[in-house]
Amino acid sequence: MCSSYLNVLAGAQRLDEAIDCYRRALAVDPLHANALAQCAMAEGQVCDWSQRAVRQAEIVEHVAADRVAIVPFPFLAMSDDPALQRACARQYWRRRGVVTTPRPAALAGRHERLRIGYCSADFHDHATSYLMAEMFEAHDRARFEVFAYSYGPPKVGVMRQRVSVAFERFHDVGAESDAAVAGRIRADEIDVLVDLKGYTTDSRIEIFARRPAPVQAHYLGYPGTLGTDFIDYFIADRFVVTEEAVAQFDERVVFLPDSYQVNGRERAGAGRTTTRAQWGLPESGFVFCCFNNNYKITPEIFAVWMRLLAQVPGSVLWLLGATHWAEENLRREAQHSGIAPERLIFAPRTSFADHLARHRHADLFLDTVPVNAHTTASDALWAGVPLVTCAGRSMASRVAGSLLSAAGLPELVTYDLVSYERLALQLARSPERLAALQAALARTRAEGPLFDAARKTRQIEAAFTRMWEIACRGEAPRSFAVD
């Protein structure tokens, strides 16, 4: 069965059929790279852990031995080792066999304003746009001319409208070939071209391989190196990319102050009021929550959550209700752990405004590892929900810690599951401490750096300017920190 058909099944949320087909494909060809990675991701999405340990060991072994080209995004959930993540990205890109175009020269002073181009498929109701809309609007138009190249589906909606008018030039290039898009960017004489996708859904990184701009950077979309020779810079912060991990990036790393992630203060849903009953929650009792995608939930983290429920009488665990298969599997796992299945409450898909509003009914957000909450963590902190995280070695496992540090709450960052469980239990038993954390988050939302989009925009503009100055001097890209 061809890979494209299998991926269509998964994309259409026919996950049970997709998993069955992936498994049959692997029975015929155990080294089928697409089937390996996508089967692991689909199994994670439905929280079917029956083959997780074997699948994980198999995939990690294949990457370590450079046997097959595993898709990098699913691999983030398989290994927390930055060196292996780099190897995975390199292998995947190398086996695509795309020839890279040489870097064009940077010509100082060719425009009155520095031309910045953003490439993404997510200029619509998507996490990337929710995070970045205020930044697009806040760019200093006296110094920067800002372009967008949108190659995603032509979705309509409030966010699409908002983002499209935030740019001076918004090009919908979804129907154009990679060569045509690269040619358009070249004709627009973009100075700094920014990839917002990496190896995420609908990525078109081949556009960057054609080197349409003198300086090319990656920001926000993918939490790890892309393993190529044509992305010059990777924008991060000193928490998400440690000194030890810098060596595992093929890009030069640019460190922003506070957190690398841009966030705005104004979000839909700020004034909405909902009730516990509206979301199927009990009228009383402690509410642990985790609105991360289901594939991020591992057996190890779920076991911690079940022990917390056992130690906090009357508590419930509020999770994202993505698929009925995940709900059934997680309730079954809860019962095996001695927890009544009805203590797991699943939040249905809803509007972004209602999703933010319902956070008020949660008492404590429990993060996942090795892939943390990213935008999901920002949403919780913005809504005033304290979050406990466990930071690992890779960037994907350190994003929530970065956000908590920028929020002035580094004490909520732990570094092993024993400490994570202990801290979560202490907070669940201490309403006074939780109230103090909620008050601190209210202050952060009003005046702290985490939700100051204008401040983050100035920092990123400083980064773009320095990248351009380095290129204009004919120097090779190098890592640096923005003050």
Side-chain angles (χ1 to χ4, degrees):
M1 189 172 290
C2 68
S3 298
S4 59
Y5 178 68
L6 298 179
N7 293 340
V8 166
L9 286 176
Q13 293 298 298
R14 292 163 60 183
L15 292 171
D16 55 341
E17 297 175 64
I19 290 170
D20 180 62
C21 290
Y22 284 133
R23 288 174 176 173
R24 284 193 279 127
L26 289 172
V28 175
D29 180 7
L31 294 182
H32 192 300
N34 179 71
L36 274 168
Q38 299 301 342
C39 188
M41 176 59 77
E43 288 169 343
Q45 287 174 318
V46 301
C47 299
D48 179 349
W49 301 327
S50 59
Q51 298 186 38
R52 178 181 169 83
V54 172
R55 189 92 62 218
Q56 183 174 5
E58 197 173 41
I59 290 174
V60 168
E61 182 184 348
H62 288 325
V63 170
D66 194 5
R67 290 198 192 102
V68 295
I70 298 296
V71 180
F73 185 78
F75 190 73
L76 297 177
M78 296 289 107
S79 172
D80 189 35
D81 185 340
L84 280 177
Q85 290 183 1
R86 181 194 202 186
C88 180
R90 282 181 164 185
Q91 292 161 19
Y92 179 74
W93 177 252
R94 185 181 73 241
R95 283 183 167 87
R96 291 175 80 159
V98 179
V99 178
T100 304
T101 303
R103 176 190 289 111
L107 303 176
R110 67 172 175 171
H111 309 124
E112 291 185 5
R113 298 180 291 163
L114 195 63
R115 292 188 178 180
I116 310 298
Y118 291 97
C119 292
S120 181
D122 301 328
F123 295 125
H124 55 83
D125 290 325
H126 184 277
T128 296
S129 289
Y130 292 138
L131 290 176
M132 297 192 72
E134 284 190 45
M135 192 187 90
F136 297 146
E137 295 163 344
H139 269 306
D140 182 353
R141 300 311 161 121
R143 299 172 54 227
F144 299 91
E145 191 173 358
V146 189
F147 297 64
Y149 301 91
S150 173
Y151 48 77
K155 296 184 178 181
V156 297
V158 174
M159 187 55 70
R160 174 70 167 205
Q161 175 63 21
R162 178 183 177 184
V163 170
S164 62
V165 300
F167 295 96
E168 288 171 86
R169 300 191 200 178
F170 187 92
H171 298 299
D172 192 338
V173 297
E176 299 179 18
S177 68
D178 294 337
V181 177
R184 182 192 287 268
I185 293 168
R186 206 172 285 116
D188 285 339
E189 297 186 343
I190 296 298
D191 299 317
V192 179
L193 187 64
V194 186
D195 169 43
L196 299 176
K197 289 299 294 179
Y199 295 124
T200 58
T201 303
D202 297 325
S203 168
R204 288 181 63 179
I205 196 171
E206 289 87 351
I207 293 169
F208 286 75
R210 296 175 180 274
R211 265 290 179 184
V215 176
Q216 300 190 156
H218 177 78
Y219 178 56
L220 200 65
Y222 181 77
T225 183
L226 302 182
T228 74
D229 61 356
F230 52 82
I231 300 293
D232 305 308
Y233 294 98
F234 189 99
I235 300 174
D237 63 61
R238 293 210 180 270
F239 190 95
V240 288
V241 178
T242 64
E243 286 298 327
E244 294 76 16
V246 168
Q248 304 304 331
F249 277 74
D250 283 310
E251 307 82 6
R252 302 287 76 79
V253 181
V254 175
F255 298 100
L256 299 184
D258 312 312
S259 175
Y260 80 106
Q261 192 185 91
V262 62
N263 275 285
R265 297 202 197 285
E266 301 302 322
R267 301 193 185 192
R272 297 200 182 194
T273 301
T274 65
T275 65
R276 278 193 170 212
Q278 184 176 335
W279 304 111
L281 295 168
E283 288 302 321
S284 62
F286 195 90
V287 178
F288 294 105
C289 83
C290 179
F291 292 139
N292 288 356
N293 282 320
N294 292 159
Y295 80 86
K296 297 183 181 183
I297 304 173
T298 66
E300 296 78 15
I301 203 75
F302 192 75
V304 172
W305 295 351
M306 294 303 97
R307 289 196 294 271
L308 289 170
L309 289 180
Q311 296 174 86
V312 182
S315 62
V316 296
L317 176 60
W318 198 13
L319 302 172
L320 190 65
T323 70
H324 70 86
W325 299 289
E327 294 180 19
E328 291 169 3
N329 286 330
L330 290 174
R331 285 201 165 107
R332 187 179 303 112
E333 291 292 334
Q335 193 160 32
H336 289 164
S337 300
I339 298 298
E342 57 268 22
R343 292 180 68 184
L344 271 58
I345 312 295
F346 291 92
R349 295 285 184 182
T350 188
S351 69
F352 183 60
D354 279 344
H355 176 62
L356 284 178
R358 68 185 173 189
H359 276 75
R360 296 190 185 92
H361 304 300
D363 295 300
L364 182 65
F365 191 111
L366 300 173
D367 198 14
T368 51
V369 70
V371 182
N372 281 177
H374 294 184
T375 306
T376 319
S378 300
D379 292 342
L381 297 177
W382 182 91
V385 183
L387 179 152
V388 174
T389 191
C390 181
R393 293 181 294 166
S394 68
M395 179 176 177
S397 69
R398 299 180 66 83
V399 172
S402 165
L403 298 171
L404 286 166
S405 297
L409 297 173
E411 67 269 26
L412 298 185
V413 182
T414 66
Y415 297 89
D416 59 77
L417 288 182
V418 173
S419 303
Y420 168 96
E421 182 176 346
R422 183 188 306 120
L423 178 57
L425 183 59
Q426 290 171 352
L427 292 174
R429 290 173 169 174
S430 177
E432 298 83 3
R433 190 173 174 189
L434 270 182
L437 291 171
Q438 291 164 351
L441 286 173
R443 291 192 297 272
T444 290
R445 176 171 151 182
E447 57 194 36
L450 179 58
F451 297 108
D452 191 340
R455 172 190 173 96
K456 190 60 59 184
T457 304
R458 301 290 88 80
Q459 294 168 358
I460 289 177
E461 289 173 344
F464 291 158
T465 300
R466 188 163 176 186
M467 293 174 192
W468 181 244
E469 291 171 346
I470 290 171
C472 287
R473 291 195 295 267
E475 300 172 1
R478 62 174 180 269
S479 296
F480 61 86
V482 174
D483 295 331

